């Protein structure tokens, strides 16, 4: 793990905490350029915006695709506190961001939730990306013990 990954992953934990304090699900994401500059941040807005697609990564990709072209985004990295779901992974793919770094794995997140009441797609982002015809780098899970903290007690 490099220091940049740790710094940015921890920043997504803080964004997730903010999302939770705002009444949303605890998810946060950020976009870093090839030089390591922070470009954009986003939080989950599913509840406050009454939008089932208001996931942090999807919100981030909407902003990114409005502000940057696909060639620029190909050299950027998305950091997320949790492994992107299939919907978010698809948005990342279509937006042409070629690297994803995440904290908590999808499997670990799902183990915390009440499986009877939550709708979930058990499809890791690596599997989504494998179906595409371009190279996508996925790094994670990283710092899972820290990443899980914002979720403890939220999903029961």
């Amino acid at each position: 793990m490099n220091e940049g990954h740790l710094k940015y992953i921890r920043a997504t934990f803080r964004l997730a905490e903010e999302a939770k304090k705002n009444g949303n699900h605890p998810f946060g994401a950020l976009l870093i350029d090839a030089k390591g500059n922070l470009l954009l941040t986003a939080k989950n807005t599913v509840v406050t915006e009454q939008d089932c697609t208001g996931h942090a990564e999807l919100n981030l990709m909407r902003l990114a695709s409005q502000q940057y072209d696909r060639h620029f985004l190909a050299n950027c990295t998305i950091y997320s506190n949790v492994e992107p779901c299939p919907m978010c992974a698809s948005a990342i793919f279509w937006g042409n961001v070629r690297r994803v770094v995440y904290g908590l794995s999808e499997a670990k997140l799902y183990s915390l939730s009440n499986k009877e009441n939550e709708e979930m797609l058990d499809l890791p982002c690596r599997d989504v990306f494998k179906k595409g015809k371009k190279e996508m780098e996925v790094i994670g899970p990283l710092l899972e013990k820290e990443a899980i903290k914002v979720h403890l007690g939220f999903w029961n």
Side-chain angles (χ1 to χ4, degrees):
M1 268 187 287
N2 72 41
E3 288 302 312
H5 290 334
L6 299 178
K7 172 184 165 185
Y8 297 129
I9 282 293
R10 286 186 172 121
T12 68
F13 300 165
R14 291 187 293 276
L15 289 167
E17 189 63 49
E18 290 174 24
K20 186 167 82 170
K21 286 179 182 171
N22 291 339
N24 290 293
H25 301 119
F27 299 101
L30 51 86
L31 183 70
I32 303 298
D33 71 12
K35 295 179 182 175
N37 298 307
L38 174 63
L39 301 176
L40 298 167
T41 65
K43 296 174 268 200
N44 183 287
T45 57
V46 167
V47 176
T48 55
E49 297 291 325
Q50 297 181 356
D51 178 1
C52 64
T53 67
H55 293 195
E57 301 93 337
L58 191 53
N59 289 339
L60 187 70
M61 287 310 304
R62 282 186 188 115
L63 292 170
S65 65
Q66 292 167 356
Q67 296 182 37
Y68 304 104
D69 69 38
R70 294 177 44 76
H71 301 290
F72 178 81
L73 290 173
N75 295 304
C76 292
T77 302
I78 284 188
Y79 288 83
S80 179
N81 69 308
V82 174
E83 180 177 359
C85 75
M87 175 181 68
C88 293
S90 296
I92 293 165
F93 178 86
W94 292 117
N96 206 35
V97 174
R98 301 290 183 99
R99 181 184 299 133
V100 175
V101 182
Y102 67 87
L104 188 64
S105 70
E106 170 192 76
K108 189 69 169 177
L109 175 67
Y110 291 174
S111 75
L112 298 173
S113 67
N114 181 340
K115 292 173 182 67
E116 293 177 12
N117 294 327
E118 291 294 326
E119 294 179 12
M120 298 185 180
L121 291 170
D122 186 9
L123 184 59
C125 70
R126 284 177 174 90
D127 292 348
V128 173
F129 295 143
K130 282 181 192 173
K131 297 294 184 179
K133 295 185 180 192
K134 59 185 165 189
E135 286 293 316
M136 301 287 292
E137 182 181 6
V138 179
I139 301 170
L142 301 177
L143 302 174
E144 270 198 306
K145 288 182 181 176
E146 287 181 51
I148 201 168
K149 290 178 183 175
V150 71
H151 295 277
L152 292 176
F154 183 84
W155 301 100
N156 358 15

